[in-house]
mmCIF file of all heavy atoms in Angstrom:
data_model
loop_
_atom_site.group_PDB
_atom_site.id
_atom_site.type_symbol
_atom_site.label_atom_id
_atom_site.label_comp_id
_atom_site.label_asym_id
_atom_site.label_seq_id
_atom_site.Cartn_x
_atom_site.Cartn_y
_atom_site.Cartn_z
ATOM 1 N N GLU A 12 9.027 -11.610 -5.712
ATOM 2 C CA GLU A 12 9.446 -12.667 -6.628
ATOM 3 C C GLU A 12 10.111 -12.162 -7.901
ATOM 4 O O GLU A 12 10.818 -12.921 -8.575
ATOM 5 C CB GLU A 12 8.211 -13.502 -7.023
ATOM 6 C CG GLU A 12 7.452 -14.096 -5.844
ATOM 7 C CD GLU A 12 6.070 -14.576 -6.242
ATOM 8 O OE1 GLU A 12 5.778 -14.577 -7.472
ATOM 9 O OE2 GLU A 12 5.278 -14.943 -5.347
ATOM 10 N N ALA A 13 9.888 -10.911 -8.269
ATOM 11 C CA ALA A 13 10.368 -10.396 -9.558
ATOM 12 C C ALA A 13 10.698 -8.911 -9.402
ATOM 13 O O ALA A 13 10.270 -8.272 -8.441
ATOM 14 C CB ALA A 13 9.306 -10.606 -10.637
ATOM 15 N N PRO A 14 11.462 -8.344 -10.354
ATOM 16 C CA PRO A 14 11.781 -6.902 -10.290
ATOM 17 C C PRO A 14 10.575 -6.043 -10.666
ATOM 18 O O PRO A 14 10.518 -5.418 -11.720
ATOM 19 C CB PRO A 14 12.923 -6.756 -11.296
ATOM 20 C CG PRO A 14 12.708 -7.856 -12.274
ATOM 21 C CD PRO A 14 12.155 -9.003 -11.486
ATOM 22 N N VAL A 15 9.594 -6.047 -9.768
ATOM 23 C CA VAL A 15 8.365 -5.273 -9.932
ATOM 24 C C VAL A 15 8.242 -4.343 -8.739
ATOM 25 O O VAL A 15 8.373 -4.768 -7.585
ATOM 26 C CB VAL A 15 7.124 -6.178 -10.034
ATOM 27 C CG1 VAL A 15 5.859 -5.328 -10.166
ATOM 28 C CG2 VAL A 15 7.243 -7.144 -11.196
ATOM 29 N N LEU A 16 7.990 -3.073 -9.005
ATOM 30 C CA LEU A 16 7.798 -2.080 -7.957
ATOM 31 C C LEU A 16 6.365 -1.565 -8.032
ATOM 32 O O LEU A 16 5.948 -0.981 -9.028
ATOM 33 C CB LEU A 16 8.783 -0.916 -8.136
ATOM 34 C CG LEU A 16 8.558 0.353 -7.303
ATOM 35 C CD1 LEU A 16 8.501 0.045 -5.818
ATOM 36 C CD2 LEU A 16 9.644 1.375 -7.598
ATOM 37 N N PHE A 17 5.599 -1.823 -6.976
ATOM 38 C CA PHE A 17 4.254 -1.278 -6.862
ATOM 39 C C PHE A 17 4.338 0.030 -6.084
ATOM 40 O O PHE A 17 4.883 0.058 -4.973
ATOM 41 C CB PHE A 17 3.337 -2.243 -6.110
ATOM 42 C CG PHE A 17 2.999 -3.498 -6.853
ATOM 43 C CD1 PHE A 17 3.801 -4.633 -6.739
ATOM 44 C CD2 PHE A 17 1.877 -3.562 -7.663
ATOM 45 C CE1 PHE A 17 3.484 -5.801 -7.411
ATOM 46 C CE2 PHE A 17 1.547 -4.722 -8.345
ATOM 47 C CZ PHE A 17 2.359 -5.851 -8.219
ATOM 48 N N CYS A 18 3.788 1.088 -6.639
ATOM 49 C CA CYS A 18 3.763 2.377 -5.956
ATOM 50 C C CYS A 18 2.315 2.851 -5.879
ATOM 51 O O CYS A 18 1.684 3.133 -6.909
ATOM 52 C CB CYS A 18 4.613 3.415 -6.683
ATOM 53 S SG CYS A 18 4.599 5.043 -5.900
ATOM 54 N N PHE A 19 1.781 2.922 -4.666
ATOM 55 C CA PHE A 19 0.404 3.354 -4.450
ATOM 56 C C PHE A 19 0.396 4.792 -3.945
ATOM 57 O O PHE A 19 1.105 5.131 -2.993
ATOM 58 C CB PHE A 19 -0.288 2.443 -3.444
ATOM 59 C CG PHE A 19 -0.356 1.006 -3.886
ATOM 60 C CD1 PHE A 19 0.428 0.035 -3.283
ATOM 61 C CD2 PHE A 19 -1.197 0.631 -4.918
ATOM 62 C CE1 PHE A 19 0.374 -1.283 -3.687
ATOM 63 C CE2 PHE A 19 -1.260 -0.688 -5.345
ATOM 64 C CZ PHE A 19 -0.473 -1.649 -4.724
ATOM 65 N N VAL A 20 -0.406 5.626 -4.590
ATOM 66 C CA VAL A 20 -0.492 7.053 -4.252
ATOM 67 C C VAL A 20 -1.906 7.327 -3.762
ATOM 68 O O VAL A 20 -2.881 6.992 -4.437
ATOM 69 C CB VAL A 20 -0.163 7.928 -5.470
ATOM 70 C CG1 VAL A 20 -0.160 9.400 -5.087
ATOM 71 C CG2 VAL A 20 1.183 7.524 -6.074
ATOM 72 N N ALA A 21 -2.021 7.935 -2.579
ATOM 73 C CA ALA A 21 -3.348 8.081 -1.981
ATOM 74 C C ALA A 21 -3.430 9.292 -1.082
ATOM 75 O O ALA A 21 -2.420 9.794 -0.577
ATOM 76 C CB ALA A 21 -3.698 6.827 -1.174
ATOM 77 N N ARG A 22 -4.653 9.748 -0.881
ATOM 78 C CA ARG A 22 -4.948 10.685 0.193
ATOM 79 C C ARG A 22 -5.159 9.877 1.479
ATOM 80 O O ARG A 22 -5.523 8.698 1.409
ATOM 81 C CB ARG A 22 -6.206 11.493 -0.133
ATOM 82 C CG ARG A 22 -6.074 12.350 -1.378
ATOM 83 C CD ARG A 22 -7.381 13.068 -1.696
ATOM 84 N NE ARG A 22 -7.289 13.798 -2.964
ATOM 85 C CZ ARG A 22 -8.299 14.441 -3.536
ATOM 86 N NH1 ARG A 22 -9.485 14.453 -2.937
ATOM 87 N NH2 ARG A 22 -8.139 15.063 -4.690
ATOM 88 N N PRO A 23 -4.973 10.481 2.631
ATOM 89 C CA PRO A 23 -5.099 9.732 3.885
ATOM 90 C C PRO A 23 -6.553 9.490 4.279
ATOM 91 O O PRO A 23 -7.014 9.904 5.352
ATOM 92 C CB PRO A 23 -4.381 10.633 4.897
ATOM 93 C CG PRO A 23 -4.538 12.005 4.347
ATOM 94 C CD PRO A 23 -4.486 11.863 2.849
ATOM 95 N N ASP A 24 -7.292 8.801 3.405
ATOM 96 C CA ASP A 24 -8.698 8.494 3.654
ATOM 97 C C ASP A 24 -8.795 7.015 4.028
ATOM 98 O O ASP A 24 -8.978 6.146 3.179
ATOM 99 C CB ASP A 24 -9.525 8.800 2.408
ATOM 100 C CG ASP A 24 -11.021 8.671 2.665
ATOM 101 O OD1 ASP A 24 -11.389 8.257 3.780
ATOM 102 O OD2 ASP A 24 -11.814 8.971 1.747
ATOM 103 N N ARG A 25 -8.671 6.732 5.301
ATOM 104 C CA ARG A 25 -8.573 5.351 5.769
ATOM 105 C C ARG A 25 -9.887 4.585 5.689
ATOM 106 O O ARG A 25 -9.907 3.362 5.870
ATOM 107 C CB ARG A 25 -8.011 5.327 7.199
ATOM 108 C CG ARG A 25 -6.545 5.688 7.234
ATOM 109 C CD ARG A 25 -6.051 6.032 8.629
ATOM 110 N NE ARG A 25 -4.607 6.272 8.629
ATOM 111 C CZ ARG A 25 -4.037 7.399 8.212
ATOM 112 N NH1 ARG A 25 -4.801 8.383 7.743
ATOM 113 N NH2 ARG A 25 -2.728 7.539 8.242
ATOM 114 N N ASP A 26 -10.984 5.274 5.439
ATOM 115 C CA ASP A 26 -12.273 4.597 5.312
ATOM 116 C C ASP A 26 -12.587 4.211 3.871
ATOM 117 O O ASP A 26 -13.579 3.516 3.623
ATOM 118 C CB ASP A 26 -13.394 5.496 5.852
ATOM 119 C CG ASP A 26 -13.266 5.737 7.348
ATOM 120 O OD1 ASP A 26 -12.788 4.825 8.049
ATOM 121 O OD2 ASP A 26 -13.636 6.834 7.810
ATOM 122 N N ALA A 27 -11.780 4.650 2.928
ATOM 123 C CA ALA A 27 -12.028 4.343 1.516
ATOM 124 C C ALA A 27 -11.664 2.887 1.228
ATOM 125 O O ALA A 27 -10.730 2.344 1.828
ATOM 126 C CB ALA A 27 -11.210 5.268 0.622
ATOM 127 N N PRO A 28 -12.389 2.224 0.300
ATOM 128 C CA PRO A 28 -12.057 0.835 -0.051
ATOM 129 C C PRO A 28 -10.611 0.672 -0.500
ATOM 130 O O PRO A 28 -9.973 -0.349 -0.213
ATOM 131 C CB PRO A 28 -13.044 0.531 -1.189
ATOM 132 C CG PRO A 28 -14.186 1.462 -0.985
ATOM 133 C CD PRO A 28 -13.588 2.709 -0.418
ATOM 134 N N GLY A 29 -10.076 1.678 -1.189
ATOM 135 C CA GLY A 29 -8.713 1.574 -1.692
ATOM 136 C C GLY A 29 -7.653 1.537 -0.603
ATOM 137 O O GLY A 29 -6.511 1.111 -0.858
ATOM 138 N N TRP A 30 -8.029 1.983 0.610
ATOM 139 C CA TRP A 30 -7.039 1.972 1.690
ATOM 140 C C TRP A 30 -6.633 0.547 2.069
ATOM 141 O O TRP A 30 -5.579 0.328 2.670
ATOM 142 C CB TRP A 30 -7.588 2.709 2.905
ATOM 143 C CG TRP A 30 -6.521 3.002 3.920
ATOM 144 C CD1 TRP A 30 -6.250 2.314 5.061
ATOM 145 C CD2 TRP A 30 -5.544 4.049 3.854
ATOM 146 N NE1 TRP A 30 -5.178 2.866 5.715
ATOM 147 C CE2 TRP A 30 -4.725 3.942 4.999
ATOM 148 C CE3 TRP A 30 -5.286 5.076 2.944
ATOM 149 C CZ2 TRP A 30 -3.668 4.806 5.250
ATOM 150 C CZ3 TRP A 30 -4.236 5.950 3.202
ATOM 151 C CH2 TRP A 30 -3.437 5.805 4.334
ATOM 152 N N LYS A 31 -7.468 -0.434 1.703
ATOM 153 C CA LYS A 31 -7.094 -1.831 1.941
ATOM 154 C C LYS A 31 -5.786 -2.173 1.249
ATOM 155 O O LYS A 31 -5.035 -3.040 1.713
ATOM 156 C CB LYS A 31 -8.199 -2.759 1.435
ATOM 157 C CG LYS A 31 -9.473 -2.725 2.256
ATOM 158 C CD LYS A 31 -10.597 -3.480 1.565
ATOM 159 C CE LYS A 31 -10.237 -4.929 1.299
ATOM 160 N NZ LYS A 31 -11.353 -5.653 0.642
ATOM 161 N N LEU A 32 -5.490 -1.498 0.136
ATOM 162 C CA LEU A 32 -4.232 -1.743 -0.566
ATOM 163 C C LEU A 32 -3.036 -1.344 0.283
ATOM 164 O O LEU A 32 -1.996 -2.002 0.262
ATOM 165 C CB LEU A 32 -4.211 -0.977 -1.897
ATOM 166 C CG LEU A 32 -4.930 -1.630 -3.068
ATOM 167 C CD1 LEU A 32 -5.045 -0.646 -4.223
ATOM 168 C CD2 LEU A 32 -4.197 -2.885 -3.508
ATOM 169 N N VAL A 33 -3.184 -0.242 1.012
ATOM 170 C CA VAL A 33 -2.079 0.206 1.864
ATOM 171 C C VAL A 33 -1.827 -0.819 2.954
ATOM 172 O O VAL A 33 -0.683 -1.231 3.206
ATOM 173 C CB VAL A 33 -2.393 1.586 2.469
ATOM 174 C CG1 VAL A 33 -1.293 2.015 3.430
ATOM 175 C CG2 VAL A 33 -2.576 2.625 1.364
ATOM 176 N N ALA A 34 -2.911 -1.265 3.622
ATOM 177 C CA ALA A 34 -2.759 -2.249 4.691
ATOM 178 C C ALA A 34 -2.208 -3.566 4.154
ATOM 179 O O ALA A 34 -1.327 -4.180 4.775
ATOM 180 C CB ALA A 34 -4.109 -2.474 5.369
ATOM 181 N N ALA A 35 -2.695 -3.997 2.986
ATOM 182 C CA ALA A 35 -2.224 -5.259 2.419
ATOM 183 C C ALA A 35 -0.773 -5.162 1.979
ATOM 184 O O ALA A 35 -0.014 -6.141 2.087
ATOM 185 C CB ALA A 35 -3.109 -5.649 1.234
ATOM 186 N N THR A 36 -0.366 -3.997 1.483
ATOM 187 C CA THR A 36 1.022 -3.815 1.059
ATOM 188 C C THR A 36 1.959 -3.905 2.257
ATOM 189 O O THR A 36 3.032 -4.513 2.174
ATOM 190 C CB THR A 36 1.185 -2.450 0.360
ATOM 191 O OG1 THR A 36 0.288 -2.377 -0.744
ATOM 192 C CG2 THR A 36 2.605 -2.270 -0.147
ATOM 193 N N ARG A 37 1.560 -3.316 3.370
ATOM 194 C CA ARG A 37 2.379 -3.400 4.576
ATOM 195 C C ARG A 37 2.559 -4.846 5.006
ATOM 196 O O ARG A 37 3.643 -5.270 5.399
ATOM 197 C CB ARG A 37 1.720 -2.596 5.697
ATOM 198 C CG ARG A 37 1.758 -1.089 5.497
ATOM 199 C CD ARG A 37 0.860 -0.381 6.486
ATOM 200 N NE ARG A 37 0.957 1.075 6.373
ATOM 201 C CZ ARG A 37 0.053 1.925 6.858
ATOM 202 N NH1 ARG A 37 -1.022 1.447 7.484
ATOM 203 N NH2 ARG A 37 0.205 3.223 6.715
ATOM 204 N N GLU A 38 1.488 -5.628 4.889
ATOM 205 C CA GLU A 38 1.550 -7.019 5.331
ATOM 206 C C GLU A 38 2.331 -7.889 4.348
ATOM 207 O O GLU A 38 3.105 -8.761 4.764
ATOM 208 C CB GLU A 38 0.129 -7.566 5.490
ATOM 209 C CG GLU A 38 0.075 -9.005 5.976
ATOM 210 C CD GLU A 38 -1.352 -9.487 6.182
ATOM 211 O OE1 GLU A 38 -2.253 -8.630 6.247
ATOM 212 O OE2 GLU A 38 -1.557 -10.704 6.280
ATOM 213 N N ALA A 39 2.169 -7.642 3.046
ATOM 214 C CA ALA A 39 2.761 -8.527 2.037
ATOM 215 C C ALA A 39 4.245 -8.267 1.816
ATOM 216 O O ALA A 39 5.005 -9.183 1.499
ATOM 217 C CB ALA A 39 2.006 -8.379 0.712
ATOM 218 N N THR A 40 4.668 -7.010 1.962
ATOM 219 C CA THR A 40 6.046 -6.674 1.584
ATOM 220 C C THR A 40 6.962 -6.422 2.769
ATOM 221 O O THR A 40 8.185 -6.494 2.622
ATOM 222 C CB THR A 40 6.062 -5.439 0.670
ATOM 223 O OG1 THR A 40 5.435 -4.341 1.331
ATOM 224 C CG2 THR A 40 5.309 -5.718 -0.626
ATOM 225 N N GLY A 41 6.426 -6.110 3.930
ATOM 226 C CA GLY A 41 7.250 -5.952 5.120
ATOM 227 C C GLY A 41 8.342 -4.921 4.949
ATOM 228 O O GLY A 41 8.099 -3.755 4.644
ATOM 229 N N ALA A 42 9.588 -5.386 5.127
ATOM 230 C CA ALA A 42 10.734 -4.474 5.080
ATOM 231 C C ALA A 42 10.983 -3.917 3.686
ATOM 232 O O ALA A 42 11.735 -2.952 3.531
ATOM 233 C CB ALA A 42 11.986 -5.197 5.581
ATOM 234 N N SER A 43 10.361 -4.527 2.671
ATOM 235 C CA SER A 43 10.546 -4.031 1.306
ATOM 236 C C SER A 43 9.686 -2.811 1.005
ATOM 237 O O SER A 43 9.768 -2.244 -0.081
ATOM 238 C CB SER A 43 10.218 -5.144 0.297
ATOM 239 O OG SER A 43 11.079 -6.253 0.457
ATOM 240 N N LEU A 44 8.849 -2.408 1.955
ATOM 241 C CA LEU A 44 7.937 -1.287 1.737
ATOM 242 C C LEU A 44 8.579 0.026 2.169
ATOM 243 O O LEU A 44 9.185 0.119 3.234
ATOM 244 C CB LEU A 44 6.642 -1.503 2.527
ATOM 245 C CG LEU A 44 5.641 -0.349 2.519
ATOM 246 C CD1 LEU A 44 5.099 -0.103 1.126
ATOM 247 C CD2 LEU A 44 4.497 -0.629 3.500
ATOM 248 N N THR A 45 8.426 1.031 1.331
ATOM 249 C CA THR A 45 8.837 2.392 1.659
ATOM 250 C C THR A 45 7.584 3.263 1.757
ATOM 251 O O THR A 45 6.819 3.354 0.796
ATOM 252 C CB THR A 45 9.783 2.964 0.591
ATOM 253 O OG1 THR A 45 10.973 2.189 0.555
ATOM 254 C CG2 THR A 45 10.132 4.417 0.899
ATOM 255 N N GLU A 46 7.349 3.868 2.912
ATOM 256 C CA GLU A 46 6.195 4.745 3.090
ATOM 257 C C GLU A 46 6.659 6.197 3.127
ATOM 258 O O GLU A 46 7.576 6.546 3.874
ATOM 259 C CB GLU A 46 5.450 4.407 4.388
ATOM 260 C CG GLU A 46 4.753 3.068 4.351
ATOM 261 C CD GLU A 46 3.712 2.923 5.457
ATOM 262 O OE1 GLU A 46 2.884 3.852 5.611
ATOM 263 O OE2 GLU A 46 3.740 1.904 6.160
#
């Protein structure tokens, strides 16, 4: 909706609570996501 860039930096720890952000980002931004 706006010129906002979210950049999440993480270790590949898929069991950590913060990993939900990675999964949610993939779902919310789709083609706008750069991994």
Side-chain angles (χ1 to χ4, degrees):
E12 304 165 8
V15 178
L16 168 55
F17 290 90
C18 179
F19 299 108
V20 184
R22 298 177 185 175
D24 187 355
R25 289 165 176 78
D26 295 327
W30 193 260
K31 290 170 58 179
L32 278 169
V33 176
T36 303
R37 290 169 176 162
E38 181 177 344
T40 58
S43 298
L44 174 65
T45 297
E46 291 196 49

